[in-house]
PDB file of all heavy atoms in Angstrom:
ATOM      1  N   LYS A  14       0.620 -11.640  -6.663  1.00  0.00           N
ATOM      2  CA  LYS A  14       1.891 -10.901  -6.829  1.00  0.00           C
ATOM      3  C   LYS A  14       2.959 -11.586  -5.942  1.00  0.00           C
ATOM      4  O   LYS A  14       2.605 -11.988  -4.849  1.00  0.00           O
ATOM      5  CB  LYS A  14       1.695  -9.450  -6.438  1.00  0.00           C
ATOM      6  CG  LYS A  14       0.932  -8.635  -7.379  1.00  0.00           C
ATOM      7  CD  LYS A  14       1.071  -7.148  -7.085  1.00  0.00           C
ATOM      8  CE  LYS A  14       0.100  -6.360  -7.873  1.00  0.00           C
ATOM      9  NZ  LYS A  14      -0.573  -5.328  -7.176  1.00  0.00           N
ATOM     10  N   HIS A 189      -2.657   0.738   3.779  1.00  0.00           N
ATOM     11  CA  HIS A 189      -1.324   1.139   3.269  1.00  0.00           C
ATOM     12  C   HIS A 189      -0.305   1.310   4.420  1.00  0.00           C
ATOM     13  O   HIS A 189       0.712   1.972   4.269  1.00  0.00           O
ATOM     14  CB  HIS A 189      -1.413   2.562   2.580  1.00  0.00           C
ATOM     15  CG  HIS A 189      -1.953   2.552   1.206  1.00  0.00           C
ATOM     16  ND1 HIS A 189      -2.665   3.605   0.645  1.00  0.00           N
ATOM     17  CD2 HIS A 189      -2.069   1.499   0.223  1.00  0.00           C
ATOM     18  CE1 HIS A 189      -3.111   3.301  -0.502  1.00  0.00           C
ATOM     19  NE2 HIS A 189      -2.786   2.085  -0.790  1.00  0.00           N
ATOM     20  N   HIS A 217       0.693   8.418   0.173  1.00  0.00           N
ATOM     21  CA  HIS A 217       0.822   7.328  -0.680  1.00  0.00           C
ATOM     22  C   HIS A 217      -0.173   7.464  -1.915  1.00  0.00           C
ATOM     23  O   HIS A 217      -1.359   7.396  -1.648  1.00  0.00           O
ATOM     24  CB  HIS A 217       0.489   5.940  -0.017  1.00  0.00           C
ATOM     25  CG  HIS A 217       0.631   4.782  -0.895  1.00  0.00           C
ATOM     26  ND1 HIS A 217       1.642   3.835  -0.892  1.00  0.00           N
ATOM     27  CD2 HIS A 217      -0.151   4.407  -1.978  1.00  0.00           C
ATOM     28  CE1 HIS A 217       1.433   2.931  -1.804  1.00  0.00           C
ATOM     29  NE2 HIS A 217       0.397   3.235  -2.511  1.00  0.00           N
ATOM     30  N   LEU A 218       0.355   7.851  -3.028  1.00  0.00           N
ATOM     31  CA  LEU A 218      -0.539   8.185  -4.209  1.00  0.00           C
ATOM     32  C   LEU A 218      -0.276   7.146  -5.277  1.00  0.00           C
ATOM     33  O   LEU A 218       0.634   7.284  -6.081  1.00  0.00           O
ATOM     34  CB  LEU A 218      -0.224   9.596  -4.668  1.00  0.00           C
ATOM     35  CG  LEU A 218      -0.241  10.679  -3.645  1.00  0.00           C
ATOM     36  CD1 LEU A 218       0.142  12.008  -4.266  1.00  0.00           C
ATOM     37  CD2 LEU A 218      -1.656  10.830  -2.967  1.00  0.00           C
ATOM     38  N   GLY A 219      -1.057   6.066  -5.372  1.00  0.00           N
ATOM     39  CA  GLY A 219      -0.968   5.103  -6.351  1.00  0.00           C
ATOM     40  C   GLY A 219      -2.333   4.952  -7.007  1.00  0.00           C
ATOM     41  O   GLY A 219      -2.999   5.925  -7.157  1.00  0.00           O
ATOM     42  N   ASN A 220      -2.749   3.653  -7.311  1.00  0.00           N
ATOM     43  CA  ASN A 220      -4.149   3.479  -7.670  1.00  0.00           C
ATOM     44  C   ASN A 220      -5.047   3.832  -6.535  1.00  0.00           C
ATOM     45  O   ASN A 220      -6.037   4.554  -6.638  1.00  0.00           O
ATOM     46  CB  ASN A 220      -4.428   2.110  -8.241  1.00  0.00           C
ATOM     47  CG  ASN A 220      -4.028   2.012  -9.687  1.00  0.00           C
ATOM     48  OD1 ASN A 220      -4.362   2.891 -10.442  1.00  0.00           O
ATOM     49  ND2 ASN A 220      -3.295   0.947 -10.064  1.00  0.00           N
ATOM     50  N   GLY A 221      -4.659   3.259  -5.367  1.00  0.00           N
ATOM     51  CA  GLY A 221      -5.277   3.648  -4.083  1.00  0.00           C
ATOM     52  C   GLY A 221      -4.437   4.799  -3.528  1.00  0.00           C
ATOM     53  O   GLY A 221      -3.238   4.780  -3.699  1.00  0.00           O
ATOM     54  N   LEU A 283     -10.620   9.612 -10.243  1.00  0.00           N
ATOM     55  CA  LEU A 283     -10.062  10.208 -11.520  1.00  0.00           C
ATOM     56  C   LEU A 283     -10.889   9.712 -12.726  1.00  0.00           C
ATOM     57  O   LEU A 283     -11.220  10.496 -13.546  1.00  0.00           O
ATOM     58  CB  LEU A 283      -8.654   9.771 -11.678  1.00  0.00           C
ATOM     59  CG  LEU A 283      -7.665  10.357 -10.652  1.00  0.00           C
ATOM     60  CD1 LEU A 283      -6.280   9.710 -10.905  1.00  0.00           C
ATOM     61  CD2 LEU A 283      -7.546  11.852 -10.799  1.00  0.00           C
ATOM     62  N   ASN A 291      -8.523   5.878 -15.233  1.00  0.00           N
ATOM     63  CA  ASN A 291      -8.044   6.043 -13.809  1.00  0.00           C
ATOM     64  C   ASN A 291      -6.528   6.288 -13.769  1.00  0.00           C
ATOM     65  O   ASN A 291      -5.963   6.382 -12.720  1.00  0.00           O
ATOM     66  CB  ASN A 291      -8.379   4.808 -13.028  1.00  0.00           C
ATOM     67  CG  ASN A 291      -7.757   3.544 -13.620  1.00  0.00           C
ATOM     68  OD1 ASN A 291      -7.597   3.502 -14.789  1.00  0.00           O
ATOM     69  ND2 ASN A 291      -7.351   2.652 -12.751  1.00  0.00           N
ATOM     70  N   ASP A 292      -5.955   6.271 -14.942  1.00  0.00           N
ATOM     71  CA  ASP A 292      -4.406   6.275 -15.009  1.00  0.00           C
ATOM     72  C   ASP A 292      -3.895   7.718 -15.056  1.00  0.00           C
ATOM     73  O   ASP A 292      -4.149   8.397 -16.030  1.00  0.00           O
ATOM     74  CB  ASP A 292      -4.049   5.499 -16.259  1.00  0.00           C
ATOM     75  CG  ASP A 292      -2.584   5.218 -16.314  1.00  0.00           C
ATOM     76  OD1 ASP A 292      -1.792   6.087 -16.022  1.00  0.00           O
ATOM     77  OD2 ASP A 292      -2.222   4.126 -16.760  1.00  0.00           O
ATOM     78  N   MET A 293      -3.236   8.128 -14.032  1.00  0.00           N
ATOM     79  CA  MET A 293      -2.782   9.527 -13.915  1.00  0.00           C
ATOM     80  C   MET A 293      -1.853   9.889 -15.078  1.00  0.00           C
ATOM     81  O   MET A 293      -1.811  11.020 -15.590  1.00  0.00           O
ATOM     82  CB  MET A 293      -2.052   9.729 -12.593  1.00  0.00           C
ATOM     83  CG  MET A 293      -1.645  11.137 -12.370  1.00  0.00           C
ATOM     84  SD  MET A 293      -3.015  12.371 -12.465  1.00  0.00           S
ATOM     85  CE  MET A 293      -3.434  12.506 -10.736  1.00  0.00           C
ATOM     86  N   ARG A 294      -0.994   8.927 -15.467  1.00  0.00           N
ATOM     87  CA  ARG A 294      -0.014   9.212 -16.526  1.00  0.00           C
ATOM     88  C   ARG A 294      -0.743   9.590 -17.810  1.00  0.00           C
ATOM     89  O   ARG A 294      -0.436  10.556 -18.488  1.00  0.00           O
ATOM     90  CB  ARG A 294       0.838   8.010 -16.750  1.00  0.00           C
ATOM     91  CG  ARG A 294       2.156   8.331 -17.478  1.00  0.00           C
ATOM     92  CD  ARG A 294       3.115   7.238 -17.488  1.00  0.00           C
ATOM     93  NE  ARG A 294       2.611   6.034 -16.818  1.00  0.00           N
ATOM     94  CZ  ARG A 294       3.427   4.999 -16.619  1.00  0.00           C
ATOM     95  NH1 ARG A 294       4.679   5.026 -16.974  1.00  0.00           N
ATOM     96  NH2 ARG A 294       2.908   3.895 -16.045  1.00  0.00           N
ATOM     97  N   LEU A 295      -1.832   8.871 -18.149  1.00  0.00           N
ATOM     98  CA  LEU A 295      -2.641   9.119 -19.369  1.00  0.00           C
ATOM     99  C   LEU A 295      -3.361  10.446 -19.223  1.00  0.00           C
ATOM    100  O   LEU A 295      -3.429  11.200 -20.179  1.00  0.00           O
ATOM    101  CB  LEU A 295      -3.668   7.979 -19.608  1.00  0.00           C
ATOM    102  CG  LEU A 295      -3.135   6.631 -19.998  1.00  0.00           C
ATOM    103  CD1 LEU A 295      -4.274   5.625 -20.232  1.00  0.00           C
ATOM    104  CD2 LEU A 295      -2.302   6.802 -21.251  1.00  0.00           C
ATOM    105  N   GLN A 297      -2.428  13.046 -17.586  1.00  0.00           N
ATOM    106  CA  GLN A 297      -1.473  14.073 -17.693  1.00  0.00           C
ATOM    107  C   GLN A 297      -1.097  14.317 -19.179  1.00  0.00           C
ATOM    108  O   GLN A 297      -0.990  15.459 -19.666  1.00  0.00           O
ATOM    109  CB  GLN A 297      -0.165  13.851 -16.872  1.00  0.00           C
ATOM    110  CG  GLN A 297      -0.466  14.103 -15.442  1.00  0.00           C
ATOM    111  CD  GLN A 297       0.788  13.962 -14.649  1.00  0.00           C
ATOM    112  OE1 GLN A 297       1.298  12.872 -14.319  1.00  0.00           O
ATOM    113  NE2 GLN A 297       1.361  15.085 -14.256  1.00  0.00           N
ATOM    114  N   GLY A 340       4.280   5.972  -3.808  1.00  0.00           N
ATOM    115  CA  GLY A 340       3.217   5.325  -4.689  1.00  0.00           C
ATOM    116  C   GLY A 340       3.547   5.808  -6.154  1.00  0.00           C
ATOM    117  O   GLY A 340       4.308   6.687  -6.399  1.00  0.00           O
ATOM    118  N   GLY A 341       2.936   5.081  -7.116  1.00  0.00           N
ATOM    119  CA  GLY A 341       3.212   5.330  -8.545  1.00  0.00           C
ATOM    120  C   GLY A 341       3.118   6.828  -8.920  1.00  0.00           C
ATOM    121  O   GLY A 341       4.036   7.321  -9.673  1.00  0.00           O
ATOM    122  N   ILE A 342       2.108   7.580  -8.467  1.00  0.00           N
ATOM    123  CA  ILE A 342       2.043   8.947  -8.770  1.00  0.00           C
ATOM    124  C   ILE A 342       3.036   9.786  -7.943  1.00  0.00           C
ATOM    125  O   ILE A 342       3.729  10.640  -8.464  1.00  0.00           O
ATOM    126  CB  ILE A 342       0.592   9.469  -8.492  1.00  0.00           C
ATOM    127  CG1 ILE A 342      -0.395   8.638  -9.352  1.00  0.00           C
ATOM    128  CG2 ILE A 342       0.481  10.952  -8.775  1.00  0.00           C
ATOM    129  CD1 ILE A 342      -1.838   8.926  -9.050  1.00  0.00           C
ATOM    130  N   ASN A 345       6.659   9.333  -9.174  1.00  0.00           N
ATOM    131  CA  ASN A 345       7.012   9.592 -10.560  1.00  0.00           C
ATOM    132  C   ASN A 345       6.470  10.848 -11.216  1.00  0.00           C
ATOM    133  O   ASN A 345       6.767  11.148 -12.368  1.00  0.00           O
ATOM    134  CB  ASN A 345       6.440   8.430 -11.476  1.00  0.00           C
ATOM    135  CG  ASN A 345       7.064   7.074 -11.118  1.00  0.00           C
ATOM    136  OD1 ASN A 345       8.376   7.028 -11.058  1.00  0.00           O
ATOM    137  ND2 ASN A 345       6.290   6.092 -10.754  1.00  0.00           N
ATOM    138  N   SER A 346       5.608  11.589 -10.517  1.00  0.00           N
ATOM    139  CA  SER A 346       4.975  12.744 -11.176  1.00  0.00           C
ATOM    140  C   SER A 346       5.363  14.068 -10.483  1.00  0.00           C
ATOM    141  O   SER A 346       4.666  14.517  -9.522  1.00  0.00           O
ATOM    142  CB  SER A 346       3.491  12.600 -11.244  1.00  0.00           C
ATOM    143  OG  SER A 346       2.974  13.724 -11.829  1.00  0.00           O
ATOM    144  N   ILE A 373      12.692  11.418  -9.950  1.00  0.00           N
ATOM    145  CA  ILE A 373      11.677  10.615 -10.458  1.00  0.00           C
ATOM    146  C   ILE A 373      12.052   9.121 -10.252  1.00  0.00           C
ATOM    147  O   ILE A 373      13.103   8.695 -10.696  1.00  0.00           O
ATOM    148  CB  ILE A 373      11.490  10.861 -12.006  1.00  0.00           C
ATOM    149  CG1 ILE A 373      10.993  12.327 -12.156  1.00  0.00           C
ATOM    150  CG2 ILE A 373      10.495   9.908 -12.631  1.00  0.00           C
ATOM    151  CD1 ILE A 373      10.752  12.745 -13.570  1.00  0.00           C
TER     152      ILE A 373
HETATM  153  P1  ADP B   1      -0.955   0.472  -6.920  1.00  0.00           P
HETATM  154  O1  ADP B   1      -1.601   1.440  -5.965  1.00  0.00           O
HETATM  155  O2  ADP B   1      -1.943  -0.391  -7.702  1.00  0.00           O
HETATM  156  O3  ADP B   1       0.300  -0.205  -6.372  1.00  0.00           O
HETATM  157  P2  ADP B   1       0.949   2.253  -8.276  1.00  0.00           P
HETATM  158  O4  ADP B   1       1.529   2.646  -6.993  1.00  0.00           O
HETATM  159  O5  ADP B   1       1.771   1.506  -9.282  1.00  0.00           O
HETATM  160  O6  ADP B   1      -0.438   1.454  -8.141  1.00  0.00           O
HETATM  161  O7  ADP B   1       0.365   3.590  -8.969  1.00  0.00           O
HETATM  162  C1  ADP B   1      -0.311   3.554 -10.180  1.00  0.00           C
HETATM  163  C2  ADP B   1      -0.599   5.033 -10.571  1.00  0.00           C
HETATM  164  O8  ADP B   1       0.661   5.700 -10.709  1.00  0.00           O
HETATM  165  C3  ADP B   1      -1.278   5.119 -11.872  1.00  0.00           C
HETATM  166  O9  ADP B   1      -2.284   6.180 -11.805  1.00  0.00           O
HETATM  167  C4  ADP B   1      -0.158   5.558 -12.824  1.00  0.00           C
HETATM  168  O10 ADP B   1      -0.624   6.281 -13.940  1.00  0.00           O
HETATM  169  C5  ADP B   1       0.644   6.423 -11.923  1.00  0.00           C
HETATM  170  N1  ADP B   1       1.964   6.692 -12.545  1.00  0.00           N
HETATM  171  C6  ADP B   1       2.971   5.835 -12.727  1.00  0.00           C
HETATM  172  N2  ADP B   1       4.000   6.430 -13.320  1.00  0.00           N
HETATM  173  C7  ADP B   1       3.658   7.806 -13.546  1.00  0.00           C
HETATM  174  C8  ADP B   1       4.276   8.951 -14.115  1.00  0.00           C
HETATM  175  N3  ADP B   1       5.447   8.844 -14.598  1.00  0.00           N
HETATM  176  N4  ADP B   1       3.564  10.064 -14.117  1.00  0.00           N
HETATM  177  C9  ADP B   1       2.306  10.160 -13.567  1.00  0.00           C
HETATM  178  N5  ADP B   1       1.671   9.071 -12.997  1.00  0.00           N
HETATM  179  C10 ADP B   1       2.308   7.878 -13.011  1.00  0.00           C
END
Side-chain angles (χ1 to χ4, degrees):
K14 288 193 188 136
H189 285 151
H217 178 110
L218 310 176
N220 275 316
L283 293 172
N291 60 326
D292 189 319
M293 182 60 96
R294 202 170 358 188
L295 291 181
Q297 286 186 283
I342 301 170
N345 298 305
S346 179
I373 296 179

